[in-house]
Protein backbone atom coordinates (compact mmCIF):
# COMPACT_ATOMS: atom_id res chain seq x y z
CA UNK A 1 0.00 0.00 0.00
CA UNK A 2 1.29 3.44 -0.88
CA UNK A 3 0.72 5.52 2.25
CA UNK A 4 1.93 9.15 2.32
CA UNK A 5 2.89 9.72 5.94
CA UNK A 6 6.08 11.76 6.23
CA UNK A 7 8.17 13.88 3.92
CA UNK A 8 11.25 11.72 4.56
CA UNK A 9 9.75 9.11 2.28
CA UNK A 10 10.20 11.27 -0.84
CA UNK A 11 13.24 11.21 -3.09
CA UNK A 12 14.16 13.14 -6.20
CA UNK A 13 13.07 10.59 -8.83
CA UNK A 14 9.65 10.48 -7.14
CA UNK A 15 9.42 14.28 -7.18
CA UNK A 16 10.50 14.53 -10.83
CA UNK A 17 7.83 12.07 -11.91
CA UNK A 18 5.13 13.64 -9.72
CA UNK A 19 5.81 17.23 -10.82
CA UNK A 20 5.92 16.18 -14.46
CA UNK A 21 2.42 14.71 -14.12
CA UNK A 22 1.23 17.70 -12.04
CA UNK A 23 2.51 19.91 -14.88
CA UNK A 24 0.35 18.01 -17.36
CA UNK A 25 -2.69 18.64 -15.17
CA UNK A 26 -1.80 22.31 -14.88
CA UNK A 27 -1.52 22.62 -18.66
CA UNK A 28 -4.91 21.08 -19.15
CA UNK A 29 -6.46 23.70 -16.89
CA UNK A 30 -4.68 26.48 -18.79
CA UNK A 31 -7.02 25.72 -21.72
CA UNK A 32 -10.51 27.21 -21.87
CA UNK A 33 -13.10 24.85 -20.41
CA UNK A 34 -14.68 23.91 -23.76
CA UNK A 35 -11.30 22.81 -25.17
CA UNK A 36 -10.30 20.88 -22.07
CA UNK A 37 -10.67 17.15 -22.45
CA UNK A 38 -11.87 15.53 -19.23
CA UNK A 39 -9.70 12.86 -17.65
CA UNK A 40 -10.99 9.86 -15.85
CA UNK A 41 -7.76 8.35 -14.61
CA UNK A 42 -9.35 7.38 -11.29
CA UNK A 43 -12.89 6.97 -12.55
CA UNK A 44 -15.22 5.67 -9.87
CA UNK A 45 -12.53 5.34 -7.19
CA UNK A 46 -13.52 6.70 -3.80
CA UNK A 47 -11.69 9.24 -1.66
CA UNK A 48 -12.66 9.86 1.96
CA UNK A 49 -11.48 13.06 3.64
CA UNK A 50 -11.42 12.77 7.43
CA UNK A 51 -10.55 16.14 8.96
CA UNK A 52 -10.38 16.56 12.72
CA UNK A 53 -8.81 20.03 12.34
CA UNK A 54 -10.01 22.98 10.23
CA UNK A 55 -8.84 23.28 6.64
CA UNK A 56 -9.86 25.01 3.45
CA UNK A 57 -7.04 24.48 0.98
CA UNK A 58 -5.91 21.00 1.85
CA UNK A 59 -9.41 19.58 2.21
CA UNK A 60 -10.88 21.21 -0.88
CA UNK A 61 -7.81 20.77 -3.05
CA UNK A 62 -7.87 17.04 -2.29
CA UNK A 63 -11.62 16.88 -2.90
CA UNK A 64 -11.43 18.82 -6.15
CA UNK A 65 -8.29 16.98 -7.24
CA UNK A 66 -10.22 13.74 -6.86
CA UNK A 67 -13.34 15.03 -8.61
CA UNK A 68 -11.33 16.39 -11.55
CA UNK A 69 -9.95 12.91 -12.30
CA UNK A 70 -13.23 11.09 -11.94
CA UNK A 71 -13.20 10.08 -8.27
CA UNK A 72 -16.12 10.18 -5.89
CA UNK A 73 -15.45 12.10 -2.70
CA UNK A 74 -16.93 11.92 0.78
CA UNK A 75 -15.80 14.38 3.44
CA UNK A 76 -16.10 14.64 7.19
CA UNK A 77 -14.93 18.07 8.17
CA UNK A 78 -14.71 19.10 11.78
CA UNK A 79 -14.58 15.44 12.76
CA UNK A 80 -13.66 16.57 16.25
CA UNK A 81 -17.27 17.63 16.64
CA UNK A 82 -19.18 15.59 14.10
CA UNK A 83 -17.54 12.18 14.03
CA UNK A 84 -18.09 9.55 16.65
CA UNK A 85 -14.72 10.36 18.27
CA UNK A 86 -16.78 12.97 20.12
CA UNK A 87 -18.40 9.99 21.86
CA UNK A 88 -15.02 8.67 22.86
CA UNK A 89 -14.18 6.44 19.88
CA UNK A 90 -10.45 6.18 19.19
CA UNK A 91 -8.75 7.24 15.98
CA UNK A 92 -7.78 3.62 15.38
CA UNK A 93 -11.39 2.45 15.69
CA UNK A 94 -12.59 5.17 13.32
CA UNK A 95 -10.04 4.24 10.67
CA UNK A 96 -10.68 0.54 11.16
CA UNK A 97 -14.36 1.10 10.46
CA UNK A 98 -14.07 3.67 7.67
CA UNK A 99 -11.51 1.60 5.81
CA UNK A 100 -13.79 -1.44 6.05
CA UNK A 101 -16.35 0.45 3.92
CA UNK A 102 -13.89 0.03 1.01
CA UNK A 103 -12.95 3.53 -0.01
CA UNK A 104 -9.80 3.58 -2.17
CA UNK A 105 -7.90 6.14 -0.14
CA UNK A 106 -8.33 8.06 3.14
CA UNK A 107 -6.93 11.57 3.60
CA UNK A 108 -6.59 12.45 7.27
CA UNK A 109 -5.86 15.59 9.25
CA UNK A 110 -5.60 15.27 13.02
CA UNK A 111 -4.42 17.31 15.97
CA UNK A 112 -2.02 14.66 17.34
CA UNK A 113 1.48 14.12 16.05
CA UNK A 114 1.88 10.62 14.64
CA UNK A 115 -1.87 10.27 13.93
CA UNK A 116 -1.37 9.35 10.27
CA UNK A 117 1.04 6.57 11.18
CA UNK A 118 -1.39 5.23 13.75
CA UNK A 119 -4.09 5.33 11.10
CA UNK A 120 -1.91 3.53 8.55
CA UNK A 121 -1.21 0.77 11.06
CA UNK A 122 -4.88 -0.27 11.12
CA UNK A 123 -6.11 0.82 7.68
CA UNK A 124 -6.97 -1.53 4.84
CA UNK A 125 -6.47 1.28 2.30
CA UNK A 126 -3.75 3.89 1.70
CA UNK A 127 -3.62 6.78 4.17
CA UNK A 128 -2.50 10.28 3.18
CA UNK A 129 -1.32 12.56 5.99
CA UNK A 130 -2.90 15.99 5.52
CA UNK A 131 -1.32 17.35 8.72
CA UNK A 132 -0.74 15.69 12.10
CA UNK A 133 -0.68 18.32 14.85
CA UNK A 134 2.67 20.10 14.99
CA UNK A 135 4.27 17.10 13.26
CA UNK A 136 4.29 17.00 9.47
CA UNK A 137 2.37 18.05 6.39
CA UNK A 138 4.02 16.08 3.60
CA UNK A 139 1.60 16.98 0.78
CA UNK A 140 2.13 20.67 1.53
CA UNK A 141 5.89 20.07 1.19
CA UNK A 142 5.27 18.54 -2.25
CA UNK A 143 3.18 21.58 -3.16
CA UNK A 144 5.92 23.89 -1.89
CA UNK A 145 8.72 22.20 -3.81
CA UNK A 146 6.64 22.08 -6.98
CA UNK A 147 6.00 25.80 -6.55
CA UNK A 148 9.73 26.49 -6.21
CA UNK A 149 10.39 24.46 -9.35
CA UNK A 150 7.70 26.18 -11.41
CA UNK A 151 8.46 29.66 -10.16
CA UNK A 152 12.26 29.51 -10.18
CA UNK A 153 12.98 26.73 -12.65
CA UNK A 154 15.34 24.73 -10.39
CA UNK A 155 15.52 22.96 -7.04
CA UNK A 156 19.24 22.62 -6.35
CA UNK A 157 21.58 24.99 -4.53
CA UNK A 158 18.70 27.02 -3.09
CA UNK A 159 19.17 29.58 -0.32
CA UNK A 160 15.97 29.41 1.66
CA UNK A 161 14.85 31.87 4.35
CA UNK A 162 12.09 30.40 6.49
CA UNK A 163 10.29 32.59 8.99
CA UNK A 164 7.48 32.53 11.51
CA UNK A 165 6.49 29.67 13.78
CA UNK A 166 9.33 27.21 13.32
CA UNK A 167 8.50 25.41 16.55
CA UNK A 168 4.98 24.26 15.75
CA UNK A 169 4.61 24.92 12.03
CA UNK A 170 4.29 21.46 10.49
CA UNK A 171 4.67 22.76 6.94
CA UNK A 172 8.14 23.99 7.92
CA UNK A 173 9.17 20.64 9.38
CA UNK A 174 8.10 18.83 6.22
CA UNK A 175 9.55 21.36 3.79
CA UNK A 176 12.96 21.32 5.49
CA UNK A 177 13.15 17.53 5.41
CA UNK A 178 12.08 17.23 1.81
CA UNK A 179 14.51 19.94 0.67
CA UNK A 180 17.31 18.05 2.40
CA UNK A 181 16.30 14.68 0.95
CA UNK A 182 15.43 15.68 -2.57
CA UNK A 183 17.52 18.75 -3.45
CA UNK A 184 21.28 19.29 -3.75
CA UNK A 185 22.95 21.56 -1.24
CA UNK A 186 20.13 23.66 0.26
CA UNK A 187 21.15 26.41 2.69
CA UNK A 188 18.76 27.60 5.36
CA UNK A 189 18.33 30.83 7.31
CA UNK A 190 15.67 30.46 10.00
CA UNK A 191 14.09 33.72 11.09
CA UNK A 192 12.12 33.82 14.33
CA UNK A 193 12.15 35.06 17.90
CA UNK A 194 13.84 32.57 20.25
CA UNK A 195 10.46 31.40 21.58
CA UNK A 196 9.52 30.14 18.10
CA UNK A 197 12.87 28.59 17.15
CA UNK A 198 13.00 25.57 14.87
CA UNK A 199 11.89 22.39 16.61
CA UNK A 200 14.81 20.40 18.04
CA UNK A 201 14.21 17.21 16.08
CA UNK A 202 14.21 19.11 12.79
CA UNK A 203 17.48 20.80 13.79
CA UNK A 204 18.94 17.41 14.68
CA UNK A 205 17.83 16.17 11.25
CA UNK A 206 19.86 18.96 9.63
CA UNK A 207 22.92 18.49 11.84
CA UNK A 208 23.04 14.74 11.26
CA UNK A 209 23.16 15.38 7.53
CA UNK A 210 25.73 18.16 7.75
CA UNK A 211 23.34 20.75 6.31
CA UNK A 212 24.31 24.39 6.64
CA UNK A 213 21.84 26.59 8.57
CA UNK A 214 21.71 29.77 10.60
CA UNK A 215 19.17 31.13 13.06
CA UNK A 216 18.49 34.82 13.35
CA UNK A 217 15.94 37.28 14.66
CA UNK A 218 16.74 39.71 11.88
CA UNK A 219 14.82 39.78 8.63
CA UNK A 220 17.34 42.29 7.36
CA UNK A 221 20.04 39.68 7.76
CA UNK A 222 18.19 36.78 6.15
CA UNK A 223 16.11 38.19 3.30
CA UNK A 224 18.64 39.80 0.94
CA UNK A 225 20.40 36.59 -0.08
CA UNK A 226 17.38 34.27 -0.21
CA UNK A 227 16.16 32.66 -3.43
CA UNK A 228 13.07 31.45 -1.59
CA UNK A 229 11.38 33.29 1.28
CA UNK A 230 8.91 30.98 3.05
CA UNK A 231 6.80 32.73 5.66
CA UNK A 232 4.39 31.13 8.11
CA UNK A 233 1.69 31.97 10.63
CA UNK A 234 2.08 31.55 14.37
CA UNK A 235 0.08 28.41 15.15
CA UNK A 236 -1.95 30.15 17.85
CA UNK A 237 -4.30 27.20 18.35
CA UNK A 238 -1.36 25.09 19.53
CA UNK A 239 -0.47 27.44 22.42
CA UNK A 240 -2.24 27.92 25.75
CA UNK A 241 -4.84 30.69 25.62
CA UNK A 242 -2.92 32.90 28.05
CA UNK A 243 0.17 32.92 25.76
CA UNK A 244 -1.64 33.76 22.54
CA UNK A 245 -1.57 37.54 22.87
CA UNK A 246 2.19 37.53 23.18
CA UNK A 247 2.50 35.45 20.02
CA UNK A 248 0.07 37.63 18.11
CA UNK A 249 2.27 40.61 18.91
CA UNK A 250 5.28 38.73 17.55
CA UNK A 251 3.46 38.12 14.27
CA UNK A 252 3.41 41.87 13.74
CA UNK A 253 7.14 42.20 14.42
CA UNK A 254 7.97 39.58 11.82
CA UNK A 255 5.61 40.79 9.12
CA UNK A 256 6.51 41.11 5.45
CA UNK A 257 5.30 44.36 3.94
CA UNK A 258 6.56 46.65 1.20
CA UNK A 259 9.69 47.58 3.19
CA UNK A 260 10.73 43.95 3.67
CA UNK A 261 9.96 43.22 0.03
CA UNK A 262 12.56 45.81 -0.88
CA UNK A 263 15.18 43.76 0.96
CA UNK A 264 14.45 40.75 -1.23
CA UNK A 265 16.19 39.83 -4.48
CA UNK A 266 14.35 40.69 -7.69
CA UNK A 267 14.27 37.02 -8.62
CA UNK A 268 13.26 35.74 -5.17
CA UNK A 269 9.97 33.99 -4.63
CA UNK A 270 7.78 34.71 -1.60
CA UNK A 271 5.75 31.73 -0.42
CA UNK A 272 3.29 31.03 2.40
CA UNK A 273 1.21 27.88 2.96
CA UNK A 274 -1.81 30.05 3.94
CA UNK A 275 -3.93 30.96 5.80
CA UNK A 276 -2.05 34.13 6.65
CA UNK A 277 -2.68 36.50 9.51
CA UNK A 278 -0.68 39.69 9.76
CA UNK A 279 2.71 38.18 8.90
CA UNK A 280 2.28 38.94 5.19
CA UNK A 281 0.60 42.21 4.35
CA UNK A 282 -1.98 42.23 1.52
CA UNK A 283 0.04 45.19 0.19
CA UNK A 284 2.58 42.76 -1.23
CA UNK A 285 0.04 40.56 -3.05
CA UNK A 286 0.44 42.43 -6.31
CA UNK A 287 4.21 42.00 -6.40
CA UNK A 288 5.16 39.34 -8.98
CA UNK A 289 7.38 37.65 -6.40
CA UNK A 290 4.37 36.94 -4.14
CA UNK A 291 3.58 33.37 -5.17
CA UNK A 292 1.29 32.15 -2.38
CA UNK A 293 -1.94 32.15 -4.35
CA UNK A 294 -0.30 30.35 -7.26
CA UNK A 295 1.21 27.97 -4.68
CA UNK A 296 -2.29 27.15 -3.40
CA UNK A 297 -3.48 26.48 -6.97
CA UNK A 298 -0.46 24.29 -7.77
CA UNK A 299 -1.34 22.26 -4.68
CA UNK A 300 -4.37 20.88 -6.45
CA UNK A 301 -2.38 19.74 -9.51
CA UNK A 302 0.15 18.11 -7.20
CA UNK A 303 -2.61 16.31 -5.32
CA UNK A 304 -4.16 15.09 -8.58
CA UNK A 305 -0.81 13.57 -9.53
CA UNK A 306 -0.32 12.23 -6.02
CA UNK A 307 -3.70 10.47 -5.92
CA UNK A 308 -2.87 8.87 -9.28
CA UNK A 309 0.46 7.65 -7.90
CA UNK A 310 -1.04 6.33 -4.66
CA UNK A 311 -3.68 4.37 -6.57
CA UNK A 312 -1.52 3.31 -9.51
CA UNK A 313 -2.26 -0.34 -10.38
C1 LIG B 1 -1.11 24.87 6.98
C2 LIG B 1 -1.41 23.76 7.97
O1 LIG B 1 -2.55 23.33 8.11
O2 LIG B 1 -0.44 23.31 8.58
N1 LIG B 1 -2.18 25.13 6.12
C3 LIG B 1 -2.28 24.43 4.96
O3 LIG B 1 -2.51 23.25 4.95
N2 LIG B 1 -2.05 25.08 3.80
C4 LIG B 1 -0.54 26.08 7.58
C5 LIG B 1 -1.20 26.72 8.75
O4 LIG B 1 -2.27 26.29 9.19
O5 LIG B 1 -0.66 27.70 9.22
Amino acid sequence: MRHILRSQQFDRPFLDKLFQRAGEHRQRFAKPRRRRSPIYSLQGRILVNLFWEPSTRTRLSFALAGLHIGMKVETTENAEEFSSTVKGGSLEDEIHVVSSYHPDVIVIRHKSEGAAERAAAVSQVPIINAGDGAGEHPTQALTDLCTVLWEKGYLDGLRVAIGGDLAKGRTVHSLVRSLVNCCEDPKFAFVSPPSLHLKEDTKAYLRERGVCFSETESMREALPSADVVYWTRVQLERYPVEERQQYEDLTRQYAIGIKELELMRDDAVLMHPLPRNEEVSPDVDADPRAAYFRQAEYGMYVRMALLEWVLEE
Side-chain angles (χ1 to χ4, degrees):
M1 261 194 283
R2 291 181 163 177
H3 301 294
I4 303 291
L5 304 177
R6 300 162 76 77
S7 55
Q8 282 99 303
Q9 74 188 83
F10 308 141
D11 59 18
R12 186 58 170 268
F14 169 76
L15 248 57
D16 289 343
K17 189 170 160 220
L18 190 81
F19 296 166
Q20 162 77 30
R21 181 64 178 154
E24 291 166 18
H25 287 307
R26 180 184 174 197
Q27 270 173 15
R28 228 168 46 82
F29 280 94
K31 293 185 192 148
R33 178 172 259 286
R34 65 192 147 72
R35 292 196 25 230
R36 210 186 293 153
S37 49
I39 41 168
Y40 301 110
S41 54
L42 293 181
Q43 174 77 31
R45 311 293 286 273
I46 299 173
L47 180 156
V48 172
N49 262 332
L50 279 178
F51 277 60
W52 276 268
E53 276 193 338
S55 168
T56 308
R57 270 153 298 275
T58 309
R59 178 170 51 84
L60 285 177
S61 65
F62 261 115
L64 273 289
L67 292 169
H68 283 309
I69 50 180
M71 297 183 85
K72 296 183 237 176
V73 179
E74 186 61 52
T75 293
T76 293
E77 53 184 297
N78 204 357
E80 192 64 38
E81 206 176 319
F82 296 122
S83 79
S84 63
T85 32
V86 78
K87 303 184 208 162
S90 71
L91 167 71
E92 281 80 358
D93 286 0
E94 293 280 281
I95 299 295
H96 204 129
V97 170
V98 174
S99 78
S100 76
Y101 298 152
H102 302 288
D104 292 282
V105 58
I106 298 175
V107 179
I108 135 169
R109 168 169 288 190
H110 200 273
K111 60 178 191 290
S112 324
E113 257 181 84
E117 264 130 354
R118 283 167 50 205
V122 296
S123 178
Q124 299 174 33
V125 302
I127 295 288
I128 299 181
N129 180 4
D132 58 328
E136 285 227 34
H137 195 344
T139 71
Q140 181 67 43
L142 294 172
T143 297
D144 297 342
L145 288 183
C146 188
T147 302
V148 174
L149 180 66
W150 289 353
E151 294 284 319
K152 293 214 49 91
Y154 60 91
L155 286 173
D156 296 318
L158 291 164
R159 288 159 299 180
V160 187
I162 304 188
D165 191 345
L166 314 179
K168 299 207 188 275
R170 56 192 173 200
T171 66
V172 172
H173 307 147
S174 284
L175 176 61
V176 168
R177 284 176 171 78
S178 44
L179 270 160
V180 170
N181 280 347
C182 305
C183 308
E184 296 290 329
D185 196 27
K187 292 191 178 55
F188 297 95
F190 295 109
V191 192
S192 74
S195 55
L196 298 176
H197 262 179
L198 188 64
K199 202 165 155 232
E200 239 357 278
D201 64 349
T202 306
K203 271 195 229 177
Y205 194 86
L206 292 172
R207 288 199 192 99
E208 280 157 22
R209 287 158 184 79
V211 178
C212 192
F213 73 92
S214 62
E215 292 180 288
T216 174
E217 288 178 55
S218 159
M219 295 167 77
R220 195 162 277 283
E221 210 174 282
L223 297 189
S225 58
D227 303 305
V228 175
V229 176
Y230 189 91
W231 232 240
T232 63
R233 153 186 97 82
V234 180
Q235 307 284 298
L236 287 176
E237 68 277 24
R238 305 199 197 287
Y239 293 95
V241 179
E242 59 283 6
E243 289 177 22
R244 289 186 191 165
Q245 188 58 51
Q246 146 205 350
Y247 287 118
E248 272 188 298
D249 297 343
L250 284 173
T251 303
R252 277 175 222 114
Q253 281 172 40
Y254 286 81
I256 297 203
I258 299 293
K259 231 170 62 226
E260 290 69 27
L261 214 50
E262 280 166 9
L263 296 172
M264 285 170 42
R265 297 168 60 91
D266 290 342
D267 62 353
V269 54
L270 173 60
M271 293 167 56
H272 191 299
L274 302 176
R276 68 170 150 188
N277 294 328
E278 289 179 60
E279 69 281 353
V280 176
S281 159
D283 297 347
V284 310
D285 291 358
D287 191 283
R289 290 168 290 181
Y292 28 87
F293 293 121
R294 295 191 291 280
Q295 181 184 353
E297 178 189 340
Y298 300 160
M300 186 183 77
Y301 309 134
V302 168
R303 289 176 175 118
M304 290 168 79
L306 187 69
L307 288 168
E308 290 176 325
W309 181 81
V310 167
L311 296 177
E312 204 172 60
E313 300 275 308

